[in-house]
PDB file of all heavy atoms in Angstrom:
ATOM      1  N   VAL C 173     -90.185 155.450 111.466  1.00 97.00           N
ATOM      2  CA  VAL C 173     -89.111 154.916 112.309  1.00 97.00           C
ATOM      3  C   VAL C 173     -87.858 155.780 112.163  1.00 97.00           C
ATOM      4  O   VAL C 173     -87.197 156.121 113.145  1.00 97.00           O
ATOM      5  CB  VAL C 173     -88.808 153.445 111.945  1.00 97.00           C
ATOM      6  CG1 VAL C 173     -87.557 152.947 112.669  1.00 97.00           C
ATOM      7  CG2 VAL C 173     -89.994 152.560 112.312  1.00 97.00           C
ATOM      8  N   LEU C 174     -87.537 156.161 110.932  1.00 97.00           N
ATOM      9  CA  LEU C 174     -86.374 157.013 110.706  1.00 97.00           C
ATOM     10  C   LEU C 174     -86.599 158.421 111.264  1.00 97.00           C
ATOM     11  O   LEU C 174     -85.675 159.058 111.770  1.00 97.00           O
ATOM     12  CB  LEU C 174     -86.056 157.086 109.216  1.00 97.00           C
ATOM     13  CG  LEU C 174     -85.503 155.789 108.601  1.00 97.00           C
ATOM     14  CD1 LEU C 174     -85.464 155.899 107.080  1.00 97.00           C
ATOM     15  CD2 LEU C 174     -84.120 155.464 109.145  1.00 97.00           C
ATOM     16  N   GLU C 175     -87.835 158.890 111.192  1.00 96.00           N
ATOM     17  CA  GLU C 175     -88.152 160.235 111.696  1.00 96.00           C
ATOM     18  C   GLU C 175     -88.133 160.276 113.227  1.00 96.00           C
ATOM     19  O   GLU C 175     -87.561 161.190 113.828  1.00 96.00           O
ATOM     20  CB  GLU C 175     -89.533 160.649 111.186  1.00 96.00           C
ATOM     21  CG  GLU C 175     -90.025 161.984 111.701  1.00 96.00           C
ATOM     22  CD  GLU C 175     -91.440 162.291 111.251  1.00 96.00           C
ATOM     23  OE1 GLU C 175     -91.829 161.859 110.136  1.00 96.00           O
ATOM     24  OE2 GLU C 175     -92.170 162.947 112.016  1.00 96.00           O
ATOM     25  N   ASN C 176     -88.742 159.278 113.848  1.00 95.00           N
ATOM     26  CA  ASN C 176     -88.866 159.262 115.312  1.00 95.00           C
ATOM     27  C   ASN C 176     -87.706 158.556 115.999  1.00 95.00           C
ATOM     28  O   ASN C 176     -87.545 158.668 117.219  1.00 95.00           O
ATOM     29  CB  ASN C 176     -90.176 158.577 115.712  1.00 95.00           C
ATOM     30  CG  ASN C 176     -91.399 159.266 115.144  1.00 95.00           C
ATOM     31  OD1 ASN C 176     -91.421 160.479 114.995  1.00 95.00           O
ATOM     32  ND2 ASN C 176     -92.418 158.492 114.804  1.00 95.00           N
ATOM     33  N   ARG C 177     -86.943 157.770 115.212  1.00 97.00           N
ATOM     34  CA  ARG C 177     -85.817 156.975 115.722  1.00 97.00           C
ATOM     35  C   ARG C 177     -86.280 155.981 116.793  1.00 97.00           C
ATOM     36  O   ARG C 177     -85.550 155.672 117.727  1.00 97.00           O
ATOM     37  CB  ARG C 177     -84.693 157.881 116.247  1.00 97.00           C
ATOM     38  CG  ARG C 177     -84.183 158.805 115.144  1.00 97.00           C
ATOM     39  CD  ARG C 177     -82.935 159.549 115.490  1.00 97.00           C
ATOM     40  NE  ARG C 177     -82.518 160.372 114.358  1.00 97.00           N
ATOM     41  CZ  ARG C 177     -81.430 161.102 114.307  1.00 97.00           C
ATOM     42  NH1 ARG C 177     -80.610 161.132 115.356  1.00 97.00           N
ATOM     43  NH2 ARG C 177     -81.125 161.807 113.240  1.00 97.00           N
ATOM     44  N   LYS C 178     -87.479 155.479 116.592  1.00 96.00           N
ATOM     45  CA  LYS C 178     -88.046 154.448 117.458  1.00 96.00           C
ATOM     46  C   LYS C 178     -88.805 153.455 116.594  1.00 96.00           C
ATOM     47  O   LYS C 178     -89.376 153.827 115.569  1.00 96.00           O
ATOM     48  CB  LYS C 178     -88.992 155.053 118.498  1.00 96.00           C
ATOM     49  CG  LYS C 178     -88.317 155.932 119.546  1.00 96.00           C
ATOM     50  CD  LYS C 178     -89.325 156.464 120.542  1.00 96.00           C
ATOM     51  CE  LYS C 178     -88.658 157.354 121.588  1.00 96.00           C
ATOM     52  NZ  LYS C 178     -87.770 156.570 122.477  1.00 96.00           N
ATOM     53  N   GLY C 179     -88.816 152.201 117.042  1.00 95.00           N
ATOM     54  CA  GLY C 179     -89.534 151.195 116.273  1.00 95.00           C
ATOM     55  C   GLY C 179     -89.719 149.920 117.063  1.00 95.00           C
ATOM     56  O   GLY C 179     -89.374 149.836 118.242  1.00 95.00           O
ATOM     57  N   ILE C 180     -90.300 148.929 116.398  1.00 95.00           N
ATOM     58  CA  ILE C 180     -90.461 147.605 116.973  1.00 95.00           C
ATOM     59  C   ILE C 180     -89.389 146.697 116.365  1.00 95.00           C
ATOM     60  O   ILE C 180     -88.682 147.109 115.437  1.00 95.00           O
ATOM     61  CB  ILE C 180     -91.880 147.061 116.721  1.00 95.00           C
ATOM     62  CG1 ILE C 180     -92.217 147.095 115.220  1.00 95.00           C
ATOM     63  CG2 ILE C 180     -92.901 147.824 117.542  1.00 95.00           C
ATOM     64  CD1 ILE C 180     -93.588 146.520 114.905  1.00 95.00           C
ATOM     65  N   PRO C 181     -89.220 145.469 116.870  1.00 95.00           N
ATOM     66  CA  PRO C 181     -88.118 144.622 116.391  1.00 95.00           C
ATOM     67  C   PRO C 181     -88.033 144.494 114.879  1.00 95.00           C
ATOM     68  O   PRO C 181     -86.947 144.621 114.301  1.00 95.00           O
ATOM     69  CB  PRO C 181     -88.409 143.279 117.065  1.00 95.00           C
ATOM     70  CG  PRO C 181     -89.075 143.649 118.350  1.00 95.00           C
ATOM     71  CD  PRO C 181     -89.917 144.844 118.016  1.00 95.00           C
ATOM     72  N   ILE C 182     -89.149 144.276 114.202  1.00 95.00           N
ATOM     73  CA  ILE C 182     -89.094 143.975 112.776  1.00 95.00           C
ATOM     74  C   ILE C 182     -88.645 145.175 111.948  1.00 95.00           C
ATOM     75  O   ILE C 182     -87.883 145.035 110.983  1.00 95.00           O
ATOM     76  CB  ILE C 182     -90.461 143.423 112.294  1.00 95.00           C
ATOM     77  CG1 ILE C 182     -90.308 142.700 110.951  1.00 95.00           C
ATOM     78  CG2 ILE C 182     -91.521 144.509 112.223  1.00 95.00           C
ATOM     79  CD1 ILE C 182     -91.518 141.856 110.589  1.00 95.00           C
ATOM     80  N   THR C 183     -89.070 146.396 112.322  1.00 96.00           N
ATOM     81  CA  THR C 183     -88.675 147.572 111.541  1.00 96.00           C
ATOM     82  C   THR C 183     -87.263 148.034 111.905  1.00 96.00           C
ATOM     83  O   THR C 183     -86.523 148.504 111.038  1.00 96.00           O
ATOM     84  CB  THR C 183     -89.676 148.721 111.735  1.00 96.00           C
ATOM     85  OG1 THR C 183     -89.982 148.874 113.123  1.00 96.00           O
ATOM     86  CG2 THR C 183     -90.948 148.459 110.959  1.00 96.00           C
ATOM     87  N   LEU C 184     -86.884 147.901 113.166  1.00 97.00           N
ATOM     88  CA  LEU C 184     -85.502 148.227 113.533  1.00 97.00           C
ATOM     89  C   LEU C 184     -84.533 147.248 112.878  1.00 97.00           C
ATOM     90  O   LEU C 184     -83.435 147.634 112.481  1.00 97.00           O
ATOM     91  CB  LEU C 184     -85.341 148.213 115.050  1.00 97.00           C
ATOM     92  CG  LEU C 184     -85.982 149.392 115.799  1.00 97.00           C
ATOM     93  CD1 LEU C 184     -85.871 149.189 117.304  1.00 97.00           C
ATOM     94  CD2 LEU C 184     -85.329 150.720 115.400  1.00 97.00           C
ATOM     95  N   CYS C 185     -84.948 145.992 112.738  1.00 96.00           N
ATOM     96  CA  CYS C 185     -84.117 145.018 112.016  1.00 96.00           C
ATOM     97  C   CYS C 185     -83.972 145.420 110.551  1.00 96.00           C
ATOM     98  O   CYS C 185     -82.898 145.257 109.961  1.00 96.00           O
ATOM     99  CB  CYS C 185     -84.732 143.625 112.117  1.00 96.00           C
ATOM    100  SG  CYS C 185     -84.385 142.776 113.670  1.00 96.00           S
ATOM    101  N   CYS C 186     -85.044 145.950 109.971  1.00 97.00           N
ATOM    102  CA  CYS C 186     -84.980 146.405 108.577  1.00 97.00           C
ATOM    103  C   CYS C 186     -83.969 147.535 108.429  1.00 97.00           C
ATOM    104  O   CYS C 186     -83.131 147.524 107.519  1.00 97.00           O
ATOM    105  CB  CYS C 186     -86.362 146.857 108.112  1.00 97.00           C
ATOM    106  SG  CYS C 186     -86.386 147.548 106.444  1.00 97.00           S
TER     107      CYS C 186
END
Side-chain angles (χ1 to χ4, degrees):
V173 172
L174 290 170
E175 176 185 328
N176 301 326
R177 301 190 179 183
K178 293 181 180 292
I180 54 178
I182 198 166
T183 46
L184 287 174
C185 280
C186 176

